[in-house]
Every structure is written in C-alpha cells, then in structure tokens.
Amino acid sequence: MNVNLLKKEANKHKKFLENKVMLNPYSYTVNNIPYYLVIYQKGEKFKGYAVISESGFKKTDALNAFERLIIFNVYVNRFFEIEESKMKLKPETFVNIKRVIQDYLSHEEVNEKLSESINLLTNLEMLLKDLQRHLTEYTRHYDNDILTTNRIDEEELHTLWKTLSYVNRIQYLQGKELIGNFETLTDLYKKMKELKLDKKLSEYDMNVFKELTSEINTTKRSINSLGFEKEHASLSEREFVELSIKRFKGLGEEKLSHYKKDLRYPKP
C-alpha cells in the first residue's frame, strides 16, 4: 500500500473547499488489482466518494470493488459505533452490586427483594460479558488482520456480518431483560439507598445503576429498533445468525444505488 501515491490519486478528485480526504486503510481486489475507497468532506459534511488504485485501473473492476468497499464501510462503521458505546460499561459493576447485597444478606434477615435481584444482576453481567467478548474479538481481528494486510474480501464481509448478528442479538436480549425487570431494578436501587448500601459502591457503579433505572425510555427505543432480532429471538443462535447474515447482505445490496449517486469517480 503506497500511501503517498494513493493520496495523490485521491486528491485528483477533490473539489474546491473540501478539506478532508479520507482514504480507507483497506482495499478490495478485482482481477489482481487492489482498489481503495476515498471519502471527501467539506468541514464535517460528507460530499462524495471515489475509488482509486495504485496502477492498472479498470472502470468495471473499480465499480465492482466500490460495491464491496462501501458495504463493508457502512457496516464496520456501525460496528465501531456500538463498540465505542458498549465498551465503556463494566461487567464488574454488576459483580460489585451483587457482592454488597450478598454481604448484607449474610448478616441481616432475609430480604426477598434483595435476594431476587441476584439472578437478574448475574444475567445482566453475563450478557454484557458476552457482548464485550464479541466486540473485543472483532476489534482485535480488525487491528491485527485487516489493518495489517490492508485488504478485505468476501470472507471479511461474512465475518463482519456474523459479528454484528451476535452483537444485535445480545443487545436485544439485554433490552428485553432490562425492560422486563425494570420494576425489580428500580425497587433494588431504592432499597439500597434506603439501607445506605450505596455508600459501599463506587461513584461509577452507582451512576451506572442509576442510569439503568432512569433511562428505560432510551432502552425501549433501542429495542424497538431491533425488530428483526425480536421477531426471530426464538430461533437457535445458529439459525438466527444464518438468517441475520442473509438480511445484512440483502440490505447492503438494496442500498447500493443510493451510495452510487455519491460516487464521483469512476462515474457509474
């Protein structure tokens, strides 16, 4: 990957006052020629795309490469939006809350509401761990493989779709768990405040706990956006992932005509 040469090619298609020319760090190869996607912006406003190569450029091949590059670009950006949001959370928060409750129950009379919360907190902890495992594994793969080879192919698209399938399914299950047990969580939060057990938790843990009991409308909006996941939640994990990958592929193909309208070079 000759970055200097590719930058020169990318700048050939830059328009007046466009101050951002972003070259994707990975290519898609057609007939032994690697093609790269360029994104142009004016300020923070997106202006268009171009497809370039270091040598041996062919329009038909470049257009074929654009289809794969743009689909990958859209989905990988979605992945990293989720990754940025979900990796901020700590499964240890649920562990810490459980520990405080269990310590209290070991010294006091049995409290039914506190006891019932243990399983719920464990489920939320396990779901978050599972989600973050998928996020971490794909991020590591992206850094160590894609950014090392500077290329993607059909297998990489499949891997990305598979990861997003797992991630979306777990996000749906998280939302379902939170919404279905919102009253339990709210009562637990109030009870811990009443018993001053909140003093035994860090400020971070209590802030997370507070958000879980006050952002239910945000959770409902999030779960409403996962209609496919809700509709197919009863499928086995394997069946769900297979169907989800087909859906991602279909959605990507459907949107190609929209993305091609912003392709300035080569012209479709």
Side-chain angles (χ1 to χ4, degrees):
M1 181 179 181
N2 189 328
V3 176
N4 290 331
L5 178 58
L6 289 169
K7 283 183 177 179
K8 287 181 181 179
E9 289 296 315
N11 285 330
K12 290 179 181 179
H13 311 290
K14 180 169 73 74
K15 295 184 178 180
F16 183 61
L17 295 181
E18 289 179 350
N19 60 329
K20 289 187 179 180
V21 180
M22 295 173 286
L23 175 67
N24 271 8
Y26 44 80
S27 65
Y28 187 89
T29 298
V30 182
N31 291 325
N32 298 317
I33 302 296
Y35 291 90
Y36 294 84
L37 181 69
V38 184
I39 302 169
Y40 300 93
Q41 287 185 199
K42 182 179 178 181
E44 296 302 316
K45 187 175 181 181
F46 165 79
K47 301 302 290 185
Y49 302 108
V51 177
I52 61 174
S53 67
E54 295 179 44
S55 62
F57 188 95
K58 293 182 180 180
K59 179 178 177 179
T60 302
D61 291 347
L63 290 175
N64 288 337
F66 173 75
E67 293 183 358
R68 315 321 288 160
L69 288 165
I70 195 64
I71 289 175
F72 185 85
N73 186 72
V74 169
Y75 281 113
V76 85
N77 284 345
R78 175 56 183 153
F79 169 84
F80 281 114
E81 287 174 4
I82 298 171
E83 189 265 353
E84 182 180 6
S85 171
K86 298 301 182 179
M87 291 305 294
K88 292 177 182 177
L89 303 174
K90 299 177 182 178
E92 291 77 14
T93 291
F94 299 112
V95 176
N96 295 338
I97 296 171
K98 281 195 299 181
R99 186 178 62 248
V100 169
I101 293 171
Q102 289 168 332
D103 182 64
Y104 174 82
L105 291 174
S106 68
H107 296 93
E108 304 293 337
E109 293 182 10
V110 175
N111 184 297
E112 188 174 341
K113 286 189 176 181
L114 291 180
S115 299
E116 289 176 351
S117 68
I118 299 296
N119 286 339
L120 172 58
L121 292 168
T122 298
N123 289 342
L124 292 173
E125 174 200 347
M126 292 299 101
L127 285 168
L128 182 56
K129 281 184 175 179
D130 198 22
L131 177 64
Q132 291 187 342
R133 177 175 60 82
H134 286 291
L135 295 173
T136 300
E137 286 177 356
Y138 187 79
T139 300
R140 187 182 298 118
H141 169 72
Y142 183 87
D143 291 341
N144 295 338
D145 291 65
I146 295 176
L147 295 187
T148 298
T149 63
N150 298 121
R151 67 172 182 81
I152 62 165
D153 53 20
E154 291 303 307
E155 185 178 347
E156 287 296 352
L157 272 166
H158 188 274
T159 298
L160 176 57
W161 287 332
K162 185 177 181 179
T163 299
L164 282 171
S165 298
Y166 283 121
V167 166
N168 283 352
R169 184 173 187 269
I170 297 168
Q171 286 191 106
Y172 167 73
L173 294 175
Q174 284 179 313
K176 181 182 178 183
E177 191 82 357
L178 288 169
I179 293 170
N181 295 282
F182 178 66
E183 186 175 341
T184 299
L185 278 173
T186 303
D187 289 345
L188 175 61
Y189 180 79
K190 291 177 180 176
K191 192 65 178 178
M192 290 186 72
K193 295 281 284 185
E194 176 188 324
L195 297 172
K196 301 190 184 308
L197 298 179
D198 57 314
K199 306 299 182 184
K200 298 186 177 183
L201 290 168
S202 69
E203 183 179 354
Y204 171 85
D205 287 343
M206 281 307 295
N207 284 338
V208 171
F209 197 9
K210 183 178 181 180
E211 287 182 14
L212 289 176
T213 59
S214 61
E215 298 292 330
I216 192 63
N217 289 329
T218 301
T219 303
K220 287 179 179 179
R221 286 194 296 271
S222 296
I223 203 171
N224 286 338
S225 70
L226 296 169
F228 173 87
E229 287 70 22
K230 180 179 181 180
E231 182 181 352
H232 298 92
S234 61
L235 293 176
S236 69
E237 187 177 78
R238 181 184 59 80
E239 292 173 318
F240 174 86
V241 170
E242 288 178 356
L243 192 60
S244 180
I245 289 173
K246 290 180 181 179
R247 172 175 173 265
F248 283 137
K249 184 176 182 179
L251 289 174
E253 298 292 339
E254 286 176 13
K255 293 180 179 180
L256 280 175
S257 59
H258 168 75
Y259 294 120
K260 285 181 178 178
K261 292 178 182 178
D262 295 313
L263 180 60
R264 63 178 59 162
Y265 180 81
K267 284 292 184 181

